[in-house]
Amino acid sequence: MCKFALMGIVQNLQKVQSSIPHSVTLVAVSKTKPDQDIMACYEVGQRVFGENKVQELSGKYERLPKDIQWHMIGHLQTNKVKYIAPFVSLIHGVDSFKLLVEINKQAIKNNRIIPVLLQFHIAQEETKFGLSLEEAKSIITSTDFEKLKNVELQGVMGMASYTENEAQVAKEFGILKDIFDDLKQQANLSSRFQTISMGMSGDYQIAIKQGSNMIRVGSTIFGNRNYDV
Ligand SMILES: *Cc1c(COP(=O)(O)O)cnc(C)c1O
């Protein structure tokens, strides 16, 4: 039974892969899922996985192959940056200058440069984290930002409203694309400011149409998550 379940995961993964352009990076969101589910994807070539809890991410990093690129996609608390700084490939949800400073500090300790994305508030819902364009600009143009040599700002990330209204979702992703284009004009950003992380299981096709080049897909690959266990 277990074997068939894993085959199903691989089929789901391959279905998503074949439905997106090669230019779009697929982050397989494995939060709450066991190591064996990740390994099933790994064995067919998937290398980029996303997690949203520091402890779970660190545990999986310790146990699983070291050529996996781990993305932190959840809200990151300043006091937990140190646990993932040695290995994390990309931090998606950066929404304050304070967090950037801490990531820079821990990156220096680990003698590396940590790539990050700024998270923007594009949804109508109140609950989602994220910056406004004005807040991001004031961070990026500050002289303090230039001193953060060990963080590399590689792009933007956002989540659309959780709604059936596809026009609304498309509009919100369009806002993030516009924010990306606007920020890209800022003189002091690196040439590697190229990533637009938007789109999840329910809306990644819409996101790609709006210019996404990195999607974060969990339940469509791994099945629904059960938070009760
Ligand atoms: C859980 C999560 C996803 C994946 O969600 P699915 O709907 O299962 O694809 C994507 N992005 C973030 C930030 C998440 O927390």
Side-chain angles (χ1 to χ4, degrees):
M1 174 225 148
C2 194
K3 182 142 186 258
F4 287 120
L6 294 178
M7 282 167 58
I9 289 170
V10 168
Q11 280 174 358
N12 296 338
L13 173 75
Q14 290 172 336
K15 230 190 249 173
V16 175
Q17 279 168 341
S18 64
S19 71
I20 63 175
H22 287 293
S23 54
V24 175
T25 300
L26 170 60
V27 181
V29 176
S30 49
K31 61 190 187 194
T32 78
K33 299 296 178 181
D35 294 355
Q36 59 177 14
D37 291 13
I38 296 171
M39 283 310 297
C41 297
Y42 179 89
E43 276 158 16
V44 296
Q46 179 68 27
R47 289 295 179 272
V48 184
F49 293 89
E51 292 282 338
N52 70 339
K53 295 264 186 326
V54 165
Q55 201 177 353
E56 186 176 354
L57 175 54
S58 304
K60 285 174 174 171
Y61 165 74
E62 292 295 332
R63 296 188 301 271
L64 294 168
K66 294 297 173 279
D67 62 338
I68 288 179
Q69 296 160 41
W70 291 105
H71 288 199
M72 175 61 190
I73 63 168
H75 188 70
L76 180 57
Q77 286 172 294
T78 319
N79 61 347
K80 294 197 173 157
V81 175
K82 57 178 177 285
Y83 301 114
I84 61 170
F87 67 88
V88 71
S89 285
L90 181 62
I91 299 175
H92 287 233
V94 175
D95 64 356
S96 72
F97 185 70
K98 186 173 147 229
L99 185 54
L100 278 176
V101 169
E102 179 62 18
I103 294 169
N104 187 65
K105 182 177 145 194
Q106 297 301 332
I108 292 169
K109 275 194 189 163
N110 287 280
N111 194 26
R112 61 182 297 238
I113 291 172
I114 298 182
V116 302
L117 306 178
L118 290 181
Q119 181 169 1
F120 288 86
H121 182 98
I122 54 170
Q124 282 182 322
E125 292 141 40
E126 287 292 326
T127 52
K128 304 265 158 81
F129 295 100
L131 298 162
S132 67
L133 179 58
E134 288 67 37
E135 288 167 328
K137 275 191 178 167
S138 84
I139 290 173
I140 291 169
T141 55
S142 73
T143 49
D144 290 342
F145 176 74
E146 280 180 37
K147 293 181 197 148
L148 306 180
K149 302 290 185 208
N150 288 59
V151 288
E152 183 172 73
L153 184 52
Q154 291 191 345
V156 302
M157 178 266 202
M159 277 187 273
S161 297
Y162 189 71
T163 169
E164 302 275 289
N165 184 344
E166 293 195 0
Q168 176 67 24
V169 171
K171 185 178 126 196
E172 292 171 2
F173 285 144
I175 292 171
L176 189 57
K177 173 65 162 66
D178 289 345
I179 287 172
F180 173 82
D181 291 340
D182 190 320
L183 293 180
K184 188 122 179 97
Q185 310 299 320
Q186 301 288 325
N188 54 351
L189 289 185
S190 100
S191 61
R192 280 193 280 201
F193 186 83
Q194 281 171 0
T195 300
I196 307 175
S197 168
M198 59 184 188
M200 309 174 25
S201 288
D203 57 19
Y204 72 85
Q205 304 284 11
I206 304 172
I208 291 170
K209 283 203 198 99
Q210 297 300 319
S212 170
N213 57 21
M214 182 174 283
I215 59 172
R216 310 174 309 270
V217 178
S219 43
T220 292
I221 298 171
F222 296 105
N224 290 330
R225 288 175 292 274
N226 182 355
Y227 287 103
D228 304 331
V229 290

